[in-house]
Amino acid sequence: MVSCGNKEAARPASSDQPEQVEEASGEMETAPAELWTEEAVEEQVRKMYDRLNDMDKNGIINIRQLENEFCTSYYLSVRDAINKALEDVEGESVFYGDEEAYRFFAGMGTPLKIANISVDLLTGNMAQAQVKFKGADEENGFMRLELDMEDGAWRVKNFDQPEAFGPGGYLKIMEDFALEHGIKYE
């Protein structure tokens, strides 16, 4: 696989040697070698959208539950800090883009069928993937995802639907909102 700058993406030395990843705490996390593959990234993205479609079939899509299952702890800490700060503001309505939960949907309704996933970068503890969708009415959708390896699984750090969020995606919207309003997060 070729990544940015035509450099080969970093991979474990062999299937017997899992990649060592330094976490934010400075401790090393060892993940099984089979997780450091394009197929494992694709499988996690498919699992996330299977879960979303399953929720849709049962009539209730719980975005918070999806995020808790599939997003990084960093993403969740920013989200939770903002939500707590907004709860503490009495009588004031502040909108930062969370209400419609567009980030999962690539501008489309459910069910979302994945037409194609391409992993563009797989290095260190991070992967970048492009996901193309076909909706129920055969409309097309597109999303770029950045994923980090955390707790033995690939977890989404951003949701970048180019038409809705632009460069950096939804995480950048939350970080900018937190900075603008003096909201602290870990």
Side-chain angles (χ1 to χ4, degrees):
M1 181 180 90
V2 176
S3 63
C4 297
N6 289 329
K7 294 181 183 174
E8 185 134 316
R11 301 252 180 148
S14 76
S15 60
D16 299 331
Q17 297 277 324
E19 180 98 5
Q20 297 276 318
V21 179
E22 187 169 342
E23 295 180 343
S25 66
E27 297 176 13
M28 297 298 277
E29 173 187 352
T30 302
E34 61 268 14
L35 294 179
W36 298 96
T37 64
E38 292 178 26
E39 291 78 16
V41 175
E42 291 176 21
E43 183 181 330
Q44 182 72 344
V45 173
R46 288 183 194 282
K47 184 177 172 185
M48 180 172 72
Y49 280 95
D50 285 349
R51 183 85 173 96
L52 180 142
N53 286 329
D54 185 55
M55 286 180 171
D56 181 53
K57 276 187 210 168
N58 292 308
I60 299 173
I61 296 176
N62 186 329
I63 296 298
R64 180 166 285 271
Q65 185 177 344
L66 281 167
E67 287 181 333
N68 289 343
E69 289 181 32
F70 295 103
C71 292
T72 63
S73 59
Y74 175 71
Y75 177 98
L76 297 176
S77 72
V78 177
R79 179 203 69 187
D80 292 345
I82 290 173
N83 288 338
K84 179 165 180 9
L86 293 181
E87 285 172 9
D88 293 342
V89 177
E90 290 185 31
E92 198 174 321
S93 178
V94 183
F95 175 74
Y96 75 97
D98 190 40
E99 289 180 25
E100 297 299 327
Y102 288 126
R103 56 202 168 280
F104 278 93
F105 294 98
M108 303 164 69
T110 52
L112 273 171
K113 299 175 197 167
I114 294 176
N116 179 276
I117 302 173
S118 62
V119 178
D120 299 327
L121 182 66
L122 180 58
T123 182
N125 64 342
M126 189 262 288
Q128 292 177 348
Q130 294 188 45
V131 187
K132 293 180 182 171
F133 299 96
K134 280 220 175 287
D137 297 329
E138 296 302 309
E139 74 273 28
N140 296 319
F142 170 72
M143 186 173 286
R144 287 184 294 253
L145 297 177
E146 184 174 308
L147 304 100
D148 287 352
M149 177 59 72
E150 186 175 282
D151 299 326
W154 288 105
R155 303 204 184 271
V156 177
K157 186 173 182 180
N158 80 316
F159 286 90
D160 185 359
Q161 176 192 335
E163 297 80 18
F165 307 131
Y170 194 72
L171 180 64
K172 177 92 167 85
I173 290 172
M174 291 196 301
E175 288 172 330
D176 289 349
F177 183 89
L179 181 65
E180 181 183 333
H181 292 85
I183 299 169
K184 304 285 186 224
Y185 52 86
E186 294 179 19

